[in-house]
Structures are given as structure tokens and as C-alpha cells.
Amino acid sequence: MKTVLIVEDEKMIRQGIKSMVQRSGVPVEVIMECNNGEMALEILKEQKVDVMFTDIRMPKMSGIELVKAMQECEHIPLTVAVSGYDDFSYAVEMMRQGVREYILKPVDRDKIKEILEKFNAEIEQNQQKDEEIRSISHQQLKYFMLQENIREEELTAMVNQFQKLFYTEPYVVYCKEIPKEKGEKKIRPYICLEELEGKQIFIVEEEKKELLLKNELNNSFVGESRSHQGLRELKQAYLESNEARKQAFCKGSPVVVYTEERPVGRALVDSNQMHQIVQMIATDKIEDASRILEKIVWEVKREQLSVDSFAENMGILMDSIWATYQNILEMDNEKLEQFKNIFAWPSLEEFKEELLVWMREFHDKISIEFDDYKNKHKIQQAIEYIQRNFWQELNMAVVSNMISMNYSLFSFEFKKYTGSNFVTYLRDIRMKEAKRLLTETDLRIAEISRQVGYDNEKHFMKIFKSVCGVSPTEYRKNSNYSE
């Protein structure tokens, strides 16, 4: 329950009812007070009131006169008559005018609570029904606006079914992008179709359009249809708003009103330009790719190129990027799909800026991925070289120079690839070969030492024992025992 109005000329009673409403446990957003019927009627004319408590005997306008007069208002509140007189004639007259409850002074707190709970349940139930009806009617409107060919009998049936829910006065249709952040659902004094072919559509009586533009469509780039009347003209109004929206998108204009004079840009984007962007995006020519895109956008803004052709080619561009690079690195296909719908952005300029940022980020990602690939390839070359030449005098400087990699980078990449540092990796390879020679040959320890890269026999024996836990001689003896 949003609004409760208390109409009572005695201040103490008025404030007492307000306090009871506040303590009833029924959620109420706004409680308004006034001390006479005339003031109450002005409020009812200007805004929607859910529940009204009104005294019967008041100066200027009585409660009975108030409920009679409010029947002409757009929204009639659920009304409770409050009287200090136990007079059945008053109750009968008030009930004839649609008053739902009649209570006597002094007002009982539990009675107030009981009434508010009952009214609140009824309001919520009506709101749910209204939402269901609104949802169904909106779906029907979408169907009507999107169908290419509707049979006359079907159109007539729809008009008869929904004309009571649609405007009888002239209206206009507005088209804009769908907001990225959805707000709370709210009751609007106009029709809002939250999603129709990737757009948000507003249908509003012409006399109320300035309020819509000032509030909900403020800071937007929207297309406005010409003035139309009746449900039969709705589809045409939608098509006009859609065309006007494209011009608002291109020009970055807050509102573009549809006219039959449409820009005639050339039909197609040069396919070679799309191919160039796809290829350049992974090279050091990324800025050239950006300039090509900016030039195309400039042509669209100057109406040298049709925006529909631009939209179509952005879809082709995104598909080509996906097909070209999906096997090289993980790609955010969802983002590519978003860029295929250029009108999801408020304006062409905003679309261009976000696409350029993404292209540069994608270029950087490819560059990193490619650099990583090149580094892995070089480390693989280094490992092959070590495995072929482990018996020679090797160190990290020799191997890093051999593969033309910076010493510090080689140290980092080598450990990342192998899981151990260079010295440990080389030692393990030598020890593995030493074990093989000890078990499969009769070579002396000194000779084995030289064959695995150690000129100093004592140094070899010390390293072998630290790795294997026993000396080379003991290792050979244990191997013979195991046989």
C-alpha cells in the first residue's frame, strides 16, 4: 500500500488515526492529512490514493459530498467513513457512493488494523491481476508489432480485445537501447515494452510525451515516431521510431523525430577493410586497424555509408575474428556476440569507443599469448640442447645465448616450464646417466665422471652421494646384488 489519505477537521482525531495506521503493521509509504473535503478532492484529482479515511461532517465540503465528487476522479480510493454519530442514514448514503467501511468515533485501533489488512490484501491482489493483464497485453502488442502479415479478422479481433487497454487519444512511440542495468519494476503512466527485437519501446499519449522525455528518457538517444491514433497504426509507429532511433544512434542526438526523408548512404562496407582489421588486430598494426574502423564510423556519421550496412558488417567482423583466433587462445564469445548488436549501445560513438578498447585489449592478449608461445618454444630448444650436450661444460649463460634469450628471462621461463632451476635440471640429467653407466657398464668411476660432465672425480662423487644417498661404488654394488 503506497498512499493513505486522512480527511478530518479535528486535529487530535486526525493525528490519532495517523498513529494507528503507522502502528497497524501494514506497510504504508505515504500518509497524507487534510482538514476539509475540498482540499482532499484536489489531492485525489492530482494523484493516486489507495485508502482514504474521511469524516462525514466537515466545513466547506462534507464527507458525503466528497465521496460523490471523487467519482469523477481517475483513481477512486478504498474509502472508510468516520462518524461521531450513530446514524444509519449516513451509513446508507455513504455506502451508496461506494464507501467500503463505516466506523464510529472514538476510533478503535484494532478496527483500523483489521480494515487496513483487508484493504492491503485486496490492493495486492488487484495489482497482481493488473500485472497479469498488462503482461498479456504487452505480449499481444509485441506480436502485433512484429508480424509481417496479419489477417484482417485477426487484426479486428485484437483491436476489439485490447482497445480498452490502449490509448484513444493520439500517441507516439519511442525506441531506445535496452538499459544495461535493469531498474525495479514500476507502474508507469505509459506503456513500456522492456524488450522488443533488442530494443526498449515506450508508447505514450502525445500530450504526456514531454514528461516522459524529461524523466525516463532523459540523457538517452531515442527515435520518435510521428503522431498516430488507434491500435491499427501501432506497427507503423514502431517502424518509424525504429528508423528514427538509428539516426539518433548515428548522430548522438537526444531525440530524432521520424521523417520520410532518409539518408542514402552506399549499401556496403568494403569487404577488404573487414579482412584487414581481422588480420591487423594480431600484429603491430593494431593502430592502423583502429584508424580503418574510425574512418568507417566517420562515413556512417556523414551518411556516406548506411548504418544498416555498418551493423551487418560488424556482425561479419565479429564472426571472422572468432573463426580466425578461437584456436589460438580462449576468447570471450559472449562479448563478440554483444558487438554484433551495435544498437545495444546508446550511440555510435560509444559503440566505437568500446570496440576500440576491446580491440586493443584483444591485441595485447594475443601478443602475450604469442610471446608465451615463443618463449615455450625456445625453452624446448634449450632442453633438447641440454639433453644432447649435458656431458660438456654447460651453464645457463651458454644455453641462454644459444637460444638468443635474455639471461634473466631464460631463468624465469626455464623454471616455469620445467619446475626446477637450470642447475638442478642439468644435475638430474647427469645423475640419471651416471646411474645407467654404473649399472650397465664396467667403466671406472673416473671415466663415468668425465662422461657425464664432471672433470673432477671427487666433486662428482660428492654430488652423486648427495643425490642418491650412497657413493657411486656402493650404488653399483647394490645394483649387482639386486640382480
Side-chain angles (χ1 to χ4, degrees), residues 266 268-276 296 305 309 313:
R266 73 174 189 270
L268 300 173
V269 175
D270 185 351
S271 59
N272 289 330
Q273 291 180 321
M274 294 297 101
H275 179 72
Q276 288 172 355
I296 295 172
L305 177 68
S309 176
N313 279 272

Side-chain angles (χ1 to χ4, degrees), residues 83-91 102 104-105:
S83 175
Y85 302 88
D86 189 5
D87 191 328
F88 186 70
S89 62
Y90 284 126
Y102 181 88
L104 294 172
K105 300 176 184 178

